[in-house]
Amino acid sequence: NAGALGIKWHDSSVAASRKSVIFLTLNEKTAYFGSGLILNENLYEGAQGAAGEINAQIPSLDELVQSGRDKFGEEQPIIQLLNEKHTIGIDDVILLARQHCPISRDVLLHYTQFIVHEIVRIVSLLNPEVIVLGGDISDARDLISDEIVNSVRFRLKEIFPGGIASPVIQFSKFGAYSVSVGATALIMRRIFQ
């Protein structure tokens, strides 16, 4: 919810001017999407304040890297880094994907497919004007944005052959700090109102 409000209040992009905006955050340490729903210009929290949890579980980063190791073998940059550091993060995956590491690219492909699937489900249910992606995954926007936008558009044409407009899909300019910006804005508004 804080991420959605941060987008609505402090983002000068197209999202701030639209009535229905869904903010999605996918972070390395969580296996689920979190979301904030701005519907008809109001934050939708649900009957008990729990609206927005998307419980379709994505495999952990470790599981995705292991799957890539099985597929591409040991002699890949991400495996060498894992052997050196004993742990890797999404920032390592993104950096090595930019350097064309096959396992890292495969991990991002899995994240991309998961994101596309969930966006299509959300659009089918709520038909928002804008979807904003934030969290750790937003650091990979240059690697995954076109694939997400094109795949969502293609899937929606398959599901709705009569036509439904694909929402604007963008990444939060606040990246991994989207929720922090929104939370800070919430606190400041409460203090100064």
Side-chain angles (χ1 to χ4, degrees):
N1 289 346
L5 291 173
I7 297 299
K8 194 69 175 160
W9 293 339
H10 296 289
D11 191 336
S12 59
S13 69
V14 68
S17 64
R18 302 299 169 96
K19 291 184 175 188
S20 296
V21 177
I22 307 297
F23 170 74
L24 298 173
T25 182
L26 182 61
N27 292 304
E28 174 184 347
K29 302 293 184 212
T30 59
Y32 307 104
F33 257 134
S35 71
L37 314 171
I38 305 283
L39 302 175
N40 294 322
E41 298 184 345
N42 294 304
L43 179 67
Y44 180 76
E45 298 179 273
Q48 294 152 355
E53 295 305 315
I54 300 172
N55 294 318
Q57 189 168 7
I58 188 169
S60 72
L61 185 58
D62 291 338
E63 290 172 303
L64 291 173
V65 169
Q66 182 57 47
S67 173
R69 173 187 268 168
D70 295 342
K71 191 187 298 186
F72 297 103
E74 295 284 328
E75 299 302 316
Q76 300 299 329
I78 195 80
I79 302 304
Q80 293 168 3
L81 184 63
L82 180 59
N83 290 338
E84 289 170 21
K85 290 175 59 177
H86 304 291
T87 184
I88 53 167
I90 191 67
D91 54 334
D92 297 315
V93 170
I94 294 167
L95 176 68
L96 290 171
R98 287 193 179 102
Q99 297 171 12
H100 307 289
C101 170
I103 294 175
S104 299
R105 290 200 169 238
D106 193 57
V107 168
L108 289 182
L109 177 63
H110 278 85
Y111 279 125
T112 300
Q113 290 170 342
F114 178 74
I115 292 166
V116 166
H117 179 76
E118 292 308 316
I119 288 175
V120 168
R121 286 167 33 109
I122 289 166
V123 171
S124 297
L125 178 65
L126 298 173
N127 193 21
E129 296 169 275
V130 181
I131 301 240
V132 180
L133 296 165
D136 297 336
I137 197 66
S138 61
D139 289 340
R141 69 180 56 126
D142 59 313
L143 299 169
I144 63 176
S145 180
D146 289 344
E147 179 65 26
I148 290 171
V149 169
N150 293 333
S151 294
V152 166
R153 189 174 293 130
F154 178 77
R155 290 283 316 282
L156 289 174
K157 282 184 182 177
E158 283 184 327
I159 295 169
F160 301 102
I164 182 173
S166 183
V168 173
I169 299 172
Q170 66 184 54
F171 284 81
S172 170
K173 70 178 184 178
F174 306 123
Y177 301 103
S178 298
V179 173
S180 301
V181 168
T184 303
L186 265 173
I187 292 166
M188 298 302 279
R189 282 193 173 209
R190 291 205 175 142
I191 289 172
F192 293 113
Q193 277 185 341

